[in-house]
Amino acid sequence: MATYDRLHRQCRTLENLFDSKLTTYAQLAAAIAQPNQDVEATGSGNRWEDLEQELEDLLSKLEEINEQLSTLASNPDTLSASMLRTVQRHREIFQDSSRELRRTKTNVHTALDKANLLSGVRNDIDAYKSSAADSLLAERGRIDNSHRMTDDILAQAYETRSEFTRQRTTLSNVNTRMTGVINKMPGINNLVAMIKSRRRRDSIILGVLIGVCTIIILSYLWN
C-alpha cells in the first residue's frame, strides 16, 4: 500500500506537470505560426526545443512509474478494485499524453518550418528591395553627375559667348574711334594720297630710266 500510494502521488504530480508543460508547448506552436513571427528574434527556436526535451523526460518518467504500477496490479491480492481502476486510468492517461505529445510536436515542427520558410522569403524580398534601391540610387547618382557636367559645359559656353561679345564690342569701339580720328583729321587722308602718288611716280621714273639704260647698252653691244 505504501508503494502504491507513493507511485500514485508521483504519477499524479508528473501528469499535472506534463499537462502544464504541454499547454505551454502548444501555445508556443500557435505563436510560431503567426504570420509576422520572427522565430530567431523572439528566441522561440530555443524555447520549443527545451520544452520538447522536458516533455520527453516527463513522459519517460510517467512510463516508468506506470510500469511499476502495472507490476503491482499484476498481483490481484495486493491492490483493491478501485486501485486497479486507478492504475488502469493512469495507463490510459499516459497513452493519451503520448499521442497528444506526438500530435503537438508535429504541429510545432510544421509551424516552425513554415515560419522559417516565410522568414527566408521575407529576407529574400528585403534583399531584392535593398539591391533594387541601391541600383536606383546608383543610377540617380550617375544622372546627377551627368546633369552637373552638362551644367558646367553650358556655363563655359555662356562664358565663352560673353567673352566673344565683349571682344566684338571692344573691336567695334576701336574701329569707331579710328574712324572718328580720321574724320577729325582730313589732312591725313590727303597726305597718305600724296605719298601713294609720289611712290607711283618714282616707280615710273625708275622704270623708264632702267629701260633707257637697257636700250643704250644693247645698242652699244650691237655696234
Side-chain angles (χ1 to χ4, degrees):
M1 291 295 295
T3 302
Y4 168 81
D5 290 339
R6 178 176 58 81
L7 294 175
H8 173 62
R9 286 194 298 272
Q10 289 180 355
C11 196
R12 290 296 300 164
T13 300
L14 290 175
E15 287 171 353
N16 292 333
L17 184 58
F18 182 88
D19 289 340
S20 176
K21 294 286 185 181
L22 187 62
T23 300
T24 303
Y25 189 63
Q27 291 174 350
L28 180 61
I32 293 175
Q34 294 298 321
N36 296 325
Q37 178 75 346
D38 190 343
V39 177
E40 294 183 357
T42 58
S44 301
N46 295 329
R47 288 180 59 198
W48 75 260
E49 290 178 352
D50 294 340
L51 284 171
E52 187 174 285
Q53 186 59 48
E54 291 178 7
L55 288 168
E56 293 285 359
D57 294 340
L58 289 173
L59 197 64
S60 178
K61 292 178 181 178
L62 277 173
E63 183 178 16
E64 181 181 349
I65 294 174
N66 272 278
E67 289 177 354
Q68 293 180 19
L69 287 173
S70 297
T71 300
L72 290 177
S74 62
N75 187 357
D77 297 334
T78 305
L79 302 178
S80 63
S82 60
M83 292 178 181
L84 291 175
R85 287 193 296 271
T86 301
V87 171
Q88 180 62 29
R89 178 57 183 162
H90 284 311
R91 191 67 182 176
E92 292 174 354
I93 292 174
F94 169 76
Q95 293 173 352
D96 292 341
S97 298
S98 299
R99 286 192 297 269
E100 188 64 23
L101 179 59
R102 287 195 299 270
R103 184 185 67 81
T104 308
K105 281 174 61 177
T106 300
N107 293 338
V108 169
H109 285 274
T110 300
L112 188 63
D113 291 341
K114 183 178 179 181
N116 290 332
L117 178 61
L118 292 176
S119 177
V121 171
R122 285 197 299 270
N123 291 336
D124 291 341
I125 293 174
D126 292 340
Y128 174 77
K129 290 181 178 179
S130 177
S131 177
D134 292 340
S135 298
L136 291 175
L137 289 175
E139 184 65 24
R140 181 176 179 180
R142 288 192 290 269
I143 293 173
D144 291 339
N145 290 333
S146 299
H147 287 169
R148 282 193 294 270
M149 292 177 61
T150 303
D151 292 339
D152 292 340
I153 293 173
L154 290 175
Q156 293 176 2
Y158 288 138
E159 181 64 25
T160 302
R161 189 182 68 176
S162 299
E163 182 65 24
F164 285 158
T165 302
R166 287 193 295 270
Q167 292 179 2
R168 185 174 65 238
T169 302
T170 301
L171 292 175
S172 178
N173 292 335
V174 170
N175 188 32
T176 301
R177 290 178 183 177
M178 290 296 296
T179 303
V181 170
I182 291 173
N183 292 331
K184 290 179 180 180
M185 300 177 65
I188 293 177
N189 290 331
N190 295 330
L191 179 61
V192 171
M194 291 174 63
I195 291 172
K196 290 181 179 180
S197 177
R198 181 170 294 181
R199 283 181 178 178
R200 285 195 300 270
R201 186 188 64 184
D202 293 342
S203 297
I204 293 171
I205 294 171
L206 181 62
V208 170
L209 181 60
I210 292 172
V212 170
C213 291
T214 302
I215 293 172
I216 293 171
I217 292 171
L218 291 174
S219 297
Y220 178 76
L221 292 175
W222 287 343
N223 292 327

